[in-house]
Amino acid sequence: MAVRKVLKYGEKTLREPSREVHKVSRKILDLIQDLLDTMYAQNGVGLAAPQIGVNYRVFVIDVSTGSEPLNPLVFINPKIIKKSGAVISQEGCLSFPEAFTDVKRYKNVTVKALDAKGKPFVMEATDGSLLARAIQHENDHLDGILFIDHCANRFDADKILAEHNLPPIDPDRLIDDEMLEKELQND
Ligand code: NI
């Protein structure tokens, strides 16, 4: 299909909640193909529909590396049904070119979603793996939540954003997840 323009932090669409998909129509299949084409063109690990300006609950992930065959994963109407453990590690986002900062995430997540054929599946990602973090990161995009909202240190994150000419942290958006904080203390 097509490589689409990736919206940058500061654009309104990134903060808007996305709608459920009711039918995996031609339009949704085209959207999935555009997401994959755009993600691969940008060497990204994941991409969510709002990042290309479409507020539908769809994202794609591919955590394959180097010489491994491509392994595109498609998530439609995803729901994280289980989460545990906590980890702080560096993350970036195609909507924040070259800006990376430490974020707080769950170590293990279980997600339920539909695949590109509209078939339900459940996937577990553990050990703070790239997949576990990507699922949380992309799922957040569908609710207008961005990785910087989970930053481990607001001042470090702001510094990095400023260095990349991106708008600053919005303090009202910072997420205080009690369960995650507890998990971090236990770790
Ligand atoms: Ni992102």
Side-chain angles (χ1 to χ4, degrees):
M1 285 297 293
V3 173
R4 303 268 291 263
K5 184 176 158 252
V6 177
L7 301 185
K8 301 283 178 293
Y9 175 47
E11 303 216 39
K12 234 181 96 207
T13 305
L14 289 177
R15 285 302 196 180
E16 282 162 2
S18 292
R19 320 186 267 291
E20 294 255 323
V21 171
H22 292 298
K23 186 174 172 258
V24 185
S25 58
R26 185 74 245 166
K27 190 173 82 171
I28 296 296
L29 291 174
D30 288 349
L31 168 65
I32 290 167
Q33 197 53 55
D34 285 358
L35 283 168
L36 289 169
D37 290 345
T38 308
M39 175 180 73
Y40 288 127
Q42 305 275 338
N43 290 313
V45 164
L47 191 65
Q51 291 181 276
I52 57 169
V54 184
N55 283 109
Y56 271 118
R57 302 190 77 82
V58 180
F59 64 75
V60 297
I61 288 177
D62 190 334
V63 291
S64 65
T65 54
S67 55
E68 286 172 20
L70 294 182
N71 182 26
L73 303 172
V74 175
F75 300 77
I76 300 171
N77 299 343
K79 278 199 173 59
I80 294 178
I81 53 173
K82 229 168 100 185
K83 43 196 185 184
S84 66
V87 62
I88 292 180
S89 53
Q90 214 170 59
E91 238 173 74
C93 176
L94 291 178
S95 295
F96 295 71
E98 328 246 319
F100 297 88
T101 194
D102 279 346
V103 298
K104 301 183 265 192
R105 295 287 185 196
Y106 287 96
K107 213 182 250 182
N108 315 298
V109 292
T110 305
V111 62
K112 196 175 97 179
L114 303 178
D115 67 14
K117 292 189 172 116
K119 203 173 142 239
F121 68 95
V122 173
M123 186 180 286
E124 204 185 336
T126 57
D127 293 328
S129 61
L130 186 54
L131 178 61
R133 290 184 286 125
I135 288 169
Q136 294 170 76
H137 178 122
E138 301 310 332
N139 190 59
D140 273 348
H141 272 299
L142 308 183
D143 294 314
I145 297 168
L146 301 170
F147 77 117
I148 51 164
D149 303 341
H150 294 278
C151 63
N153 184 310
R154 179 186 157 185
F155 304 101
D156 289 350
D158 250 341
K159 208 175 128 220
I160 287 153
L161 291 173
E163 280 167 8
H164 292 86
N165 299 313
L166 290 164
I169 296 277
D170 178 347
D172 294 336
R173 296 263 188 192
L174 289 174
I175 289 169
D176 182 24
D177 183 334
E178 271 180 47
M179 183 178 149
L180 184 61
E181 295 299 332
K182 257 184 216 149
E183 296 274 19
L184 278 169
Q185 281 163 21
N186 295 341
D187 243 49

